[in-house]
Every structure is written in C-alpha cells, then in structure tokens.
C-alpha cells in the first residue's frame, strides 16, 4: 500500500528529507493571494510530487514564481445546507427599512477596509436609507472590537469627514453559528474590495445565502463569481508596498508576507467601488435576482465535490510514478 502525505501547512515549514522516510508520495495543498509566492516556499514546492491549489489565480502565481512540478486546481467548497437564504437574519437596532451592505473579513490590509469605508462615507449621506455592517476580527488580543472601532474613527477624522454620514455597524466580537449565518441574510448585498484572495470563503457563504457580491474583479474568487451573481469593481495590479506605505492604511499589514520583490495585487478603484455600491442600492430587484443565481451556482460547489477532485488529483499523481 502506498503511503501518501498531503501537507496543509506552510510549504517552507516542511522537513522534506524527514517526510520522505515515511511517505511514498508527498503533495502540498496551499493557497496564496498575490501574483508571486514567498521565495522561501519555492524550494520545497519544487521537490514534492505535486501541488494542489484552490483557484486559477493561484496556479498562475505558482507558475510565475518558478514552480515546475504538476499543479492541480482543487477548489474549495461551501456548506449549502448551513448557509441558506432562509436563515434567520441578524437583527440590529438601526437596520429596519434600510438597504444593508454586509462585509465579513479579518481586519488586515489585504482586505482593504479603508477603501470600503471611504467609498461608503463619500458615496452615501445620512439621508440615504443604507447601513454598512462589518463583521471583522483582529489578530492580537488588543485588536478587539473597541480597538477596531477606534481605528475606524481615527481614519474618518484623518479623511476630514465632519458631516453626519450613513451609519456603520462594526461587530468585532465572536458570534455563535446562528448569528454568523444571519449576518449574510440580513444584507441585500455583500461587499469586499479585497486586494487579493486565494479563494474568498465569505463570497462563497454569501452567495450560498442568496446574497449577491460586490467584489474586486481579480483573485481566486473569480473562478466562481460571474456577472450574473456579482458586481465587479475595476482595479489595477500594483506592488503591495504602495498601499501599505499610504496614509490610508489602517489595518494589520503582514509586510513580511506580501512586500517581496515582484509581488503585486489588485488595487481597486474607489470610484468604481462607489459606482457599484450605488448601483446595487438603486436596483434591489437586480440584487435579488443575482442572489438567486448565486444560490444556484453554489449548489455546484459542495465540499463533497472538492474532496472528489482532490482524490482524483492524488490518483493521477500516484499513477504517473
């Protein structure tokens, strides 16, 4: 019987020489968010039998970085039984009668919280019946809900915004499962102007919940987002260092990962983001239509399918050796 290792940790952390003593075949299952992987990953990636990635963008990034072993696209899935359009909506005091934009992300620079906030504040006034709900989290103990709200308020002052704006509700604490599911269904549209995603799990969960997506038109999520279930934000590929060094940067940067020579990611255009958010707000029926299509699309993205595709990839690797 063949012994197979599918390694799910950072490629650079694997002791390949040691693992070869115990396994006949070694594969790495990984994910990345920019146009090139970290240099320290390359050696191990080119010494295993194959690499599994979840998206077309990831495969291109690995090839651009010099990975020469076979690469298989093994998409992620979404639980379409847990995330459904009929899930009980999370209720917030100021949400009644408003068009609700929902966003779910970790409070880091790659997710681009500053562009989301700036576009929303500049495009919508207190007279617009809208609400932006942000479910987020920090990466250190001090990066709690209070700290995140302080960062957001500080950024608003830095932008010189003094007038009363459309409301923003920030949830930076843990929610139990039912509440988390209800975050998506309370929205008429999900919005995240991300700079880069290997997959974009919240996009999958939103569409499975019947809620359309407003997203940057570049990244791993483009394997399952379409013009029939989403609204796309225009972008330009730029060095991560540019935005990280900008006065607009308000969240954890992870510079060691993303500011390496040759790396680029998407920088969404604020004007395009504002336009798409306004368009969604003005066209609630279209949002419902795109949401219904998204739900149907996600029924094809089960975890069973993901497991089957990985099984088939493993069998191909074994059969060729």
């Amino acid at each position: 019987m063949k012994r197979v290792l599918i390694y799910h940790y950072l490629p650079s952390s694997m002791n390949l020489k040691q693992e070869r003593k115990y396994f006949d075949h070694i594969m790495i299952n990984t994910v990345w968010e920019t146009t090139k992987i970290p240099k320290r990953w390359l050696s191990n990636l080119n010494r295993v039998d194959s690499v599994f990635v979840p998206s077309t963008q990831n495969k291109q990034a690995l090839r651009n970085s010099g990975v020469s072993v076979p690469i298989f696209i093994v998409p992620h899935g979404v639980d379409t039984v847990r995330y459904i359009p009929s899930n009980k909506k999370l209720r917030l005091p100021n949400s009644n009668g408003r068009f609700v934009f929902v966003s779910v992300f970790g409070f880091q620079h790659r997710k681009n919280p500053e562009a989301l906030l700036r576009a929303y504040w500049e495009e919508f006034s207190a007279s617009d019946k809208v609400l932006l709900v942000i479910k987020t989290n920090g990466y250190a103990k001090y990066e709690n809900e209070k700290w995140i709200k302080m960062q957001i308020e500080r950024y608003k002052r830095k932008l010189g915004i003094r007038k009363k704006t459309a409301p923003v509700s920030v949830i930076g604490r843990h929610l139990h499962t039912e509440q988390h599911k209800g975050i998506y269904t309370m929205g008429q549209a999900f919005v995240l102007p991300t700079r880069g995603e290997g997959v974009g799990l919240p996009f999958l969960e939103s569409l499975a919940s019947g809620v359309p997506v407003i997203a940057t038109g570049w990244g791993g999520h483009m394997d399952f987002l379409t013009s029939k279930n989403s609204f796309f934000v225009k972008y330009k590929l730029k060095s991560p260092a540019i935005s990280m060094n900008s006065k607009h940067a308000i969240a954890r940067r992870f510079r060691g990962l993303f500011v390496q020579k040759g790396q680029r990611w998407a920088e969404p255009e604020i004007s395009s983001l504002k336009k798409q958010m306004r368009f969604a707000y003005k066209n609630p029926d279209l949002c419902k239509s795109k949401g219904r299509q998204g739900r149907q699309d996600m029924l094809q993205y089960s975890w069973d399918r993901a497991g089957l595709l990985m099984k088939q990839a493993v069998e191909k690797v074994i059969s060729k050796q």
Side-chain angles (χ1 to χ4, degrees), residues 211-277:
V211 179
V213 164
I214 302 172
T216 312
W218 182 85
H221 51 281
M222 293 304 292
D223 280 6
F224 56 87
L225 297 191
T226 72
S227 60
K228 292 183 179 180
N229 61 33
S230 303
F231 304 88
F232 294 123
V233 177
K234 295 179 181 179
Y235 68 93
K236 292 181 180 178
L237 290 179
K238 296 184 178 182
S239 166
I242 296 174
S243 57
M244 285 188 183
N245 294 334
S246 165
K247 65 179 181 180
H248 293 284
I250 63 172
R252 185 178 285 261
R253 291 161 176 74
F254 294 108
R255 295 185 68 94
L257 289 173
F258 300 119
V259 183
Q260 296 188 16
K261 186 177 180 181
Q263 285 185 326
R264 293 189 300 164
W265 62 17
E267 202 59 50
E269 296 179 7
I270 296 289
S271 60
S272 178
L273 175 57
K274 291 162 65 173
K275 181 179 179 180
Q276 294 292 38
M277 292 179 74

Side-chain angles (χ1 to χ4, degrees), residues 142-150 170-173:
Y142 69 88
E143 294 177 343
N144 54 24
E145 182 176 284
K146 181 179 179 181
W147 180 86
I148 291 170
K149 288 180 177 180
M150 286 175 57
V170 178
I171 304 172
R173 61 191 180 278

Side-chain angles (χ1 to χ4, degrees), residues 5-20 23 26-28 43-45 47-50:
L5 171 64
I6 303 176
Y7 194 79
H8 293 269
Y9 299 97
L10 290 177
S12 56
S13 69
M14 180 171 60
N15 185 332
L16 189 57
K17 184 177 180 180
Q18 185 70 18
E19 301 296 358
R20 284 289 185 195
F23 297 98
I26 298 179
M27 302 136 201
I28 290 179
S43 177
N44 273 352
L45 287 173
R47 292 191 294 151
V48 297
D49 302 312
S50 68

Side-chain angles (χ1 to χ4, degrees), residues 48-271:
V48 297
D49 302 312
S50 68
V51 181
F52 302 156
V53 294
S55 63
T56 302
Q57 182 272 331
N58 272 206
K59 184 174 182 178
Q60 292 172 342
L62 265 64
R63 286 289 184 236
N64 291 342
S65 303
V67 175
S68 56
V69 300
I71 301 174
F72 293 88
I73 296 178
V74 180
H76 286 193
V78 61
D79 189 340
T80 55
V81 175
R82 170 176 288 186
Y83 294 97
I84 57 177
S86 59
N87 280 334
K88 184 179 179 181
K89 299 179 180 180
L90 182 68
R91 294 295 180 184
L92 295 178
N94 56 346
S95 63
N96 290 338
R98 293 181 181 273
F99 184 102
V100 180
F101 292 101
V102 169
S103 195
V104 178
F105 57 89
F107 199 68
Q108 61 166 294
H109 187 74
R110 177 170 59 83
K111 301 294 184 175
N112 207 2
E114 62 271 23
L116 172 61
L117 290 162
R118 182 181 166 192
Y120 179 75
W121 285 328
E122 291 180 358
E123 183 62 27
F124 299 102
S125 69
S127 62
D128 289 307
K129 293 294 183 179
V130 294
L131 170 66
L132 172 61
V133 178
I134 295 175
K135 170 62 182 81
T136 189
N137 61 272
Y139 295 88
K141 190 173 181 179
Y142 69 88
E143 294 177 343
N144 54 24
E145 182 176 284
K146 181 179 179 181
W147 180 86
I148 291 170
K149 288 180 177 180
M150 286 175 57
Q151 296 299 105
I152 290 173
E153 279 302 313
R154 188 177 296 133
Y155 181 54
K156 192 174 186 179
R157 291 195 299 270
K158 184 179 289 186
L159 291 175
I161 298 175
R162 298 287 185 265
K163 65 179 181 178
K164 188 176 181 181
T165 60
V168 177
S169 290
V170 178
I171 304 172
R173 61 191 180 278
H174 175 74
L175 297 179
H176 62 66
T177 301
E178 292 303 313
Q179 290 176 313
H180 182 76
K181 293 188 294 185
I183 280 280
Y184 293 107
T185 52
M186 77 175 297
Q188 279 73 50
F190 180 94
V191 55
L192 183 61
T194 177
R195 293 181 165 103
E197 299 292 329
V199 180
L201 185 58
F203 294 137
L204 289 162
E205 293 174 348
S206 181
L207 292 180
S209 302
V211 179
V213 164
I214 302 172
T216 312
W218 182 85
H221 51 281
M222 293 304 292
D223 280 6
F224 56 87
L225 297 191
T226 72
S227 60
K228 292 183 179 180
N229 61 33
S230 303
F231 304 88
F232 294 123
V233 177
K234 295 179 181 179
Y235 68 93
K236 292 181 180 178
L237 290 179
K238 296 184 178 182
S239 166
I242 296 174
S243 57
M244 285 188 183
N245 294 334
S246 165
K247 65 179 181 180
H248 293 284
I250 63 172
R252 185 178 285 261
R253 291 161 176 74
F254 294 108
R255 295 185 68 94
L257 289 173
F258 300 119
V259 183
Q260 296 188 16
K261 186 177 180 181
Q263 285 185 326
R264 293 189 300 164
W265 62 17
E267 202 59 50
E269 296 179 7
I270 296 289
S271 60

